[in-house]
Amino acid sequence: MQPLTADDPPAIGPHRLLARLGAGGMGKVYLARTPDGHLCALKVVKEDLAHDNQFRARFAREVRTAQRVRGPFTPAVVDADPDAPEPWMATEYVPGPTLKEAVREVGHFPAESLLVLTLGLARALSTIHAAGLMHRDLKPSNILLSPRGPQVIDFGIARAVEGTVLTRTGQTFGTPSYTSPEQITGKNVTPLADVFSLGGAVIFAAGGMPPFGEGGPVNTLAKVMKADPNLAALPEGPLRDLVARCMAKDPEQRPDADSILRELSGLPLPSAAHGWLPTQVSRQIDAKAGETEQAKAAERTTVPLDTGPGQGGGSSWWRRRSVVVAAAAATALVLLGGGALAWTALPAGPEDEPDPTAGGSEEPGGEGGEETGDEGEAGTEESGHFGGFMYTLTFSEDGDHLHVFGSGTLSTWDWRDGEPVDEYPSALGADFTDSGYVATAVNEYIRVWEGGSDNRIAVLGQNEEFGMFDMAALTEDASTLATEASDDGTEDGDPILQTWDMESEEVVSVLPLDGYLHDLDYTPDGSMLVGASYNLGGEGTSFTIVWDAESGEELHRFEGEESSDFALSADGSTMVVLTDYTEVLMVDLTDGSTREMDMSDLGEDKVYEVALSPDGSIAYSGTSWPSSDTLVWETATGEVSPIEGLRLSEVIGVSADGEHIATTVTEDGYSTVRVLDTTDYEVVAEFS
């Protein structure tokens, strides 16, 4: 830990910087204080990556998924801003040395510590994999040591960096000694690649040397492909045999993370009275804690600590989650009976997922069990505020309720009273229909409810060859569902557009996509399907495409360089299209004719969201941190209709009667939902 220099900013986002923790290929890492007074490790992306569009797109996607990772051995992602000039991500701070530091300074670990290390790493990988992520760069320097167990950091970052300026200029991301053979060849990379890296980290802890010895990258990669790892430092017995299988060249011969847990959970562990770490490592942790206290003591006091919205006196999300994590970790390290570790006492993955062997018609509440969100995940009653990113706000048909979808919540609110009335498990994509159906996409499957979260009517995709769903759209009668999927069922596959017949629960059509979608919706009558993409990696184009829902024929296409977005009118006859944040078109869906909206008053702002009044006569823009009033257009003429003081964010929802608009205000990393009356655009309700 090093003090801040004159070149370091006093704060990043809402977080005040206290000290430098380190730097690397990705950028700098700081110790920071959050708005509610807790500590976090804040990683700021270096400048050349910040200018790489491909990295930004992937980083945003990985952060979105990483925020769903919840477990005692994975520090939570508590805040992030992929759109900042220098993108950043903040995680819980763990005041301990890395495994690399510990072994280099105090030597190899004893057998008992190796067992707990292996179990903790397996539990971390199980949590990461259950969220749809792979680590891709698990190594001793990405493993922090704490009394509650090993803590795996930087999961998902390697995926964001692949193919960026770092790798294109010959700088590899990752450590050759811990890279799996399939990562070297680039073929068939699955979560089992992380298991190979786990085995290498345990070998390092046992003997102080990488699994294939020291040497240059080329020589080491050759050994990874052809040589056997050095297992001699591992104690003879079940652990050595298991690590040997983890290091198998053929991934199909390796156990997965859950299998490792099952195999080792019954073995004796070190006495709870002495902890799991060697004494010298515990002293290192004490030293790190001392450095932290010094940084806190030297904290700049010229800027008052902003508690942020909803933070005064209440129990914050972080504080509540810390109690959950500490209790889970303490339970995990208690010896039962003959010394077996009670790993079943740990929390499950991000959600209790549907049984992968069950059919899509699994009844809610049956033996398969209804999914429940992770503790502290939803951001409603548990947290007292909305954390993370906000994606959509959708009014119910009668206008009495507001559906809120973000990285920390998927919930329904009585917006007048500011009270939550329903809550759904977290998702990557969600669609609320006026008729009361809800569809969500969560990587391997899609779930559909009718009338509320207590009535799930379908689980799709579990037994199909396709997968990695991250988008869902339903027709109003819920007869058809559309989703973006992967053509090979993995995150590396090419994107495709699927449509499902809800009665038979079967895929009825598949179309290739030119890029990854960020928005998908049916017109109200279900006759057309509209999707919008972003431009991944700065190559090719972004698009908004209108398809004939029955035939799959492309009816209209609107292209840009960076991104596209759209909003449909209530009768489905028109839509507004946003291209490259600076061009807004009104589209007649009957013939594809367009009218340009006047953008002369945009100034320095960019438009990130568009919305339409129900009759299509008024179009609204949403900006990020607007420096001027929101642009509102009369769509018949394209002229700006001035509304003094109206500021709408990049999240907008319009009620079916056109009388109310919902938007968000984000301060200090937390979001508040505001509802405005369209007669005078005054705020009539606010909740968080």
Side-chain angles (χ1 to χ4, degrees):
M1 187 179 298
Q2 298 176 343
L4 297 174
T5 69
D7 295 332
D8 295 315
I12 293 177
H15 310 292
R16 189 186 306 168
L17 304 188
L18 304 182
R20 283 192 180 195
L21 294 177
M26 275 278 295
K28 298 175 182 178
V29 185
Y30 294 98
L31 176 67
R33 186 182 292 281
T34 68
D36 59 359
H38 294 277
L39 297 179
C40 67
L42 193 150
K43 176 165 287 188
V44 185
V45 170
K46 62 192 304 184
E47 185 177 359
D48 51 358
L49 280 176
H51 293 301
D52 191 308
N53 290 333
Q54 180 178 3
F55 170 80
R56 280 186 174 274
R58 286 180 170 173
F59 184 68
R61 187 167 182 164
E62 295 302 311
V63 165
R64 180 178 172 182
T65 308
Q67 286 177 315
R68 299 176 54 240
V69 177
R70 297 283 187 266
F73 304 117
T74 51
V77 177
V78 297
D79 199 3
D81 188 356
D83 296 323
E86 293 181 327
W88 55 268
M89 178 174 67
T91 64
E92 290 177 296
Y93 174 63
V94 179
T98 66
L99 178 61
K100 181 178 180 179
E101 292 171 336
V103 172
R104 292 301 191 201
E105 291 186 26
V106 306
H108 64 273
F109 279 30
E112 296 85 356
S113 297
L114 292 174
L115 180 56
V116 179
L117 174 68
T118 308
L119 282 163
L121 295 180
R123 186 66 184 90
L125 289 183
S126 178
T127 304
I128 292 167
H129 295 165
L133 276 173
M134 287 175 55
H135 193 293
R136 297 176 182 265
D137 192 31
L138 183 64
K139 56 187 178 182
S141 59
N142 277 338
I143 300 167
L144 295 172
L145 302 178
S146 76
R148 74 187 192 190
Q151 305 289 308
V152 173
I153 62 174
D154 280 357
F155 43 85
I157 296 301
R159 173 63 173 169
V161 173
E162 286 179 357
T164 65
V165 66
L166 283 184
T167 54
R168 289 197 299 267
T169 56
Q171 182 176 353
T172 61
F173 188 87
T175 304
S177 294
Y178 305 95
T179 300
S180 68
E182 60 268 29
Q183 286 175 284
I184 297 173
T185 62
K187 297 178 180 179
N188 302 319
V189 180
T190 70
L192 292 173
D194 289 340
V195 172
F196 186 92
S197 302
L198 176 152
V202 174
I203 291 174
F204 175 79
M209 293 286 288
F212 299 96
E214 304 283 6
V218 175
N219 186 40
T220 299
L221 292 175
K223 290 180 180 179
V224 171
M225 294 298 298
K226 298 180 180 179
D228 294 328
N230 184 7
L231 303 172
L234 289 166
E236 293 187 4
L239 182 59
R240 180 189 286 189
D241 296 340
L242 178 62
V243 171
R245 284 186 283 124
C246 290
M247 303 294 292
K249 307 298 184 189
D250 182 355
E252 294 185 1
Q253 296 180 13
R254 299 174 206 149
D256 61 17
D258 291 336
S259 297
I260 295 173
L261 293 174
R262 288 193 295 269
E263 288 192 38
L264 296 183
S265 60
L267 298 181
L269 292 169
S271 167
H274 297 91
W276 75 279
L277 289 167
T279 302
Q280 301 96 317
V281 179
S282 296
R283 291 173 182 163
Q284 284 183 299
I285 293 175
D286 292 340
K288 291 282 186 181
E291 292 179 355
T292 303
E293 290 303 317
Q294 291 178 6
K296 290 163 64 177
E299 182 177 354
R300 303 168 185 173
T301 58
T302 55
V303 181
L305 185 64
D306 185 358
T307 58
Q311 297 302 303
S315 181
S316 70
W317 171 86
W318 186 308
R319 188 174 300 110
R320 288 176 181 265
R321 185 182 181 278
S322 297
V323 172
V324 172
V325 167
T331 303
L333 293 175
V334 171
L335 301 179
L336 299 179
L341 187 61
W343 289 98
T344 54
L346 290 176
E351 305 170 1
D352 294 326
E353 298 183 4
D355 181 355
T357 63
S361 59
E362 175 191 355
E363 290 295 323
E367 291 187 10
E370 175 65 18
E371 301 91 358
T372 58
D374 182 35
E375 297 178 79
E377 171 87 8
T380 54
E381 297 176 73
E382 179 70 20
S383 67
H385 61 260
F386 297 118
F389 304 107
M390 300 295 283
Y391 303 136
T392 62
L393 297 171
T394 309
F395 282 93
S396 60
E397 187 173 24
D398 59 11
D400 291 337
H401 294 148
L402 189 64
H403 308 297
V404 181
F405 175 37
S407 60
T409 187
L410 184 60
S411 49
T412 300
W413 293 70
D414 182 324
W415 58 266
R416 292 182 176 87
D417 295 337
E419 296 293 332
V421 297
D422 205 350
E423 186 176 351
Y424 297 83
S426 59
L428 298 178
D431 183 33
F432 292 85
T433 70
D434 289 341
S435 50
Y437 293 96
V438 180
T440 67
V442 190
N443 283 328
E444 293 86 1
Y445 54 92
I446 299 167
R447 295 164 296 189
V448 182
W449 291 268
E450 181 182 6
S453 63
D454 58 349
N455 185 33
R456 192 187 65 205
I457 60 174
V459 179
L460 310 176
Q462 296 181 80
N463 301 317
E464 300 296 323
E465 61 178 311
F466 303 118
M468 300 306 295
F469 307 108
D470 59 6
M471 196 68 56
L474 276 170
T475 55
E476 283 297 318
D477 60 1
S479 62
T480 308
L481 179 144
T483 182
E484 178 189 280
S486 164
D487 66 349
D488 63 359
T490 74
E491 63 178 11
D492 296 315
D494 292 328
I496 56 174
L497 181 65
Q498 288 180 346
T499 58
W500 293 69
D501 179 86
M502 289 295 296
E503 182 176 359
S504 64
E505 298 186 355
E506 294 180 350
V507 176
V508 293
S509 69
V510 176
L511 292 174
L513 288 172
D514 298 337
Y516 295 96
L517 301 179
H518 69 83
D519 200 1
L520 186 66
D521 201 5
Y522 279 98
T523 54
D525 63 2
S527 64
M528 288 177 277
L529 180 63
V530 188
S533 80
Y534 55 87
N535 185 357
L536 183 62
E539 298 178 0
T541 59
S542 64
F543 59 78
T544 294
I545 295 180
V546 182
W547 294 276
D548 182 284
E550 183 175 356
S551 67
E553 177 189 358
E554 182 177 312
L555 302 177
H556 313 297
R557 176 186 286 251
F558 306 93
E559 293 188 344
E561 293 183 358
E562 294 186 70
S563 73
S564 295
D565 195 20
F566 69 91
L568 292 163
S569 64
D571 63 4
S573 63
T574 58
M575 74 174 182
V576 60
V577 174
L578 166 66
T579 303
D580 292 338
Y581 313 120
T582 56
E583 182 182 44
V584 176
L585 299 175
M586 193 66 190
V587 180
D588 185 330
L589 287 174
T590 60
D591 57 13
S593 61
T594 63
R595 178 182 296 108
E596 292 186 11
M597 300 294 103
D598 179 13
M599 306 297 289
S600 59
D601 294 335
L602 187 60
E604 296 295 324
D605 291 326
K606 289 185 176 181
V607 176
Y608 290 92
E609 174 87 354
V610 286
L612 273 176
S613 61
D615 61 4
S617 64
I618 301 174
Y620 300 94
S621 70
T623 60
S624 179
W625 300 105
S627 59
S628 58
D629 292 346
T630 291
L631 294 184
V632 179
W633 298 276
E634 297 285 347
T635 58
T637 63
E639 296 179 356
V640 173
S641 178
I643 301 176
E644 185 177 354
L646 179 61
R647 304 286 177 90
L648 300 179
S649 75
E650 54 198 286
V651 185
I652 307 173
V654 183
S655 63
D657 57 12
E659 295 181 359
H660 295 98
I661 292 180
T663 190
T664 62
V665 177
T666 302
E667 296 178 357
D668 299 328
Y670 304 118
S671 296
T672 298
V673 176
R674 288 180 177 173
V675 179
L676 292 73
D677 190 314
T678 56
T679 58
D680 53 14
Y681 294 101
E682 293 294 322
V683 176
V684 295
E686 184 172 302
F687 61 89
S688 64

